[in-house]
Amino acid sequence: MALEPSMKVVVRLISIVCLTLTIVSCTAPEVRLQQEAMRLGFNRTIAQGTEFKHVVYTNNARNRGDELHVYLDGDGTPWINNRWISEDPTPRNPLLLRLMSLDTMPAVYLGRPCYHGFSDTPPCEPGLWTNERYSEVVVKTMAAALDHILKPLRMRRVVLIGYSGGGTLAMLLAEQVQNLRGIVTISGNLDVEAWSSLHGYAPLIGSKNPAQQPPLNPALFQLHLAGSKDQNVPVSLIQPTVLHQYSAQLIVLPEFDHTCCWEKIWPSVLNNISSLMPKNQSR
């Protein structure tokens, strides 16, 4: 049966939409994240870690100074449907990039080893984004990459800002970062063992757990943000580790969950960071 001209147009439009959706869905996660970073006006570079390369996005700060905010993203997608190891664990949600776009201070987004298109680059192997995502190997290479970033900048004050699993890494990196003044976590997984048990996941054998580490230097300020409706990293999982720390503050946001609605309050959080910063402290 021949189609009416109007129906042909509809069919053609449907075909175009379907093709567009197919192309978008097939675009690699690191490409989508990079496109968002470019849209936000960030500059992309590569920092060398130990044996690994790390993607770095840098903002064009309106305020110049000797304070650097280092953004550490979540785990991304280590597994597909909790059954198959992901070929590319790069985060699908650009939330942290959008938070960094609201930051008027110098800021960098430091990617993890084997993320952002490097998953098949030796010595990368799936363990580094699955069970060993918080291992000493990961912590050391991120510390080395950050050291390479910091050396030419000569920043006197550094703040680590970690989202979800990035909060885990912020706590584990703290003792290895020169001129660190504070840590901010957003829905931070501060007890890896309890988190795995809560969700019925296998233990992350090979990973370090902030909840089992000694308290951090009391000279550091710690600001931990949690959402009252977060079912991924609930407040009950964060609070015991915060209570174990010196000079740590836990703020629970009503109606917030793991991804919503952090952009709304981020400018005020950044102002809070400035007020907590020990201006004249040397370390």
Side-chain angles (χ1 to χ4, degrees), residues 96-127:
L96 203 67
L97 287 177
R98 291 173 182 164
L99 295 182
M100 193 171 88
S101 72
L102 301 173
D103 202 332
T104 60
M105 298 298 291
V108 299
Y109 172 109
L110 175 59
R112 300 194 199 186
C114 308
Y115 281 57
H116 304 278
F118 289 118
S119 59
D120 59 354
T121 303
C124 286
E125 52 87 19

Side-chain angles (χ1 to χ4, degrees), residues 14-230:
I14 291 174
S15 299
I16 292 172
V17 170
C18 290
L19 178 60
T20 301
L21 290 174
T22 300
I23 293 172
V24 170
S25 65
C26 291
T27 304
E30 79 273 7
V31 173
R32 295 199 297 272
L33 202 73
Q34 182 176 341
Q35 289 172 343
E36 180 65 9
M38 296 301 103
R39 186 188 72 80
L40 294 170
F42 298 153
N43 301 310
R44 182 182 187 272
T45 56
I46 303 296
Q48 183 65 46
T50 51
E51 302 175 87
F52 304 90
K53 296 183 185 299
H54 299 255
V55 166
V56 177
Y57 292 112
T58 307
N59 71 350
N60 295 300
R62 294 192 292 275
N63 296 327
R64 298 295 177 181
D66 57 4
E67 177 181 324
L68 182 71
H69 296 168
V70 180
Y71 287 74
L72 307 172
D73 214 339
D75 298 342
T77 309
W79 297 87
I80 303 297
N81 296 329
N82 297 321
R83 295 181 62 187
W84 300 283
I85 294 175
S86 174
E87 293 183 359
D88 185 353
T90 303
R92 271 65 169 169
N93 184 353
L95 171 62
L96 203 67
L97 287 177
R98 291 173 182 164
L99 295 182
M100 193 171 88
S101 72
L102 301 173
D103 202 332
T104 60
M105 298 298 291
V108 299
Y109 172 109
L110 175 59
R112 300 194 199 186
C114 308
Y115 281 57
H116 304 278
F118 289 118
S119 59
D120 59 354
T121 303
C124 286
E125 52 87 19
L128 293 174
W129 62 86
T130 54
N131 290 347
E132 300 169 24
R133 68 187 79 168
Y134 312 129
S135 65
E136 186 66 20
V137 171
V138 171
V139 172
K140 281 187 175 180
T141 190
M142 294 197 69
L146 182 53
D147 188 54
H148 288 150
I149 294 168
L150 290 172
K151 277 182 178 178
L153 298 178
R154 298 183 179 180
M155 293 291 180
R156 296 179 59 190
R157 299 187 297 270
V158 177
V159 179
L160 297 178
I161 300 172
Y163 168 64
S164 192
T168 315
L169 289 171
M171 297 292 284
L172 297 175
L173 277 165
E175 297 296 340
Q176 302 187 40
V177 178
Q178 291 294 318
N179 296 321
L180 184 67
R181 296 294 181 261
I183 294 173
V184 179
T185 69
I186 310 157
S187 296
N189 181 0
L190 304 189
D191 191 336
V192 175
E193 185 176 330
W195 177 81
S196 298
S197 177
L198 172 69
H199 294 288
Y201 300 153
L204 299 187
I205 297 173
S207 284
K208 301 178 73 174
N209 186 358
Q212 298 173 352
Q213 306 302 311
L216 297 178
N217 186 340
L220 299 175
F221 78 79
Q222 295 185 47
L223 179 61
H224 301 280
L225 308 175
S228 65
K229 292 190 174 181
D230 192 337

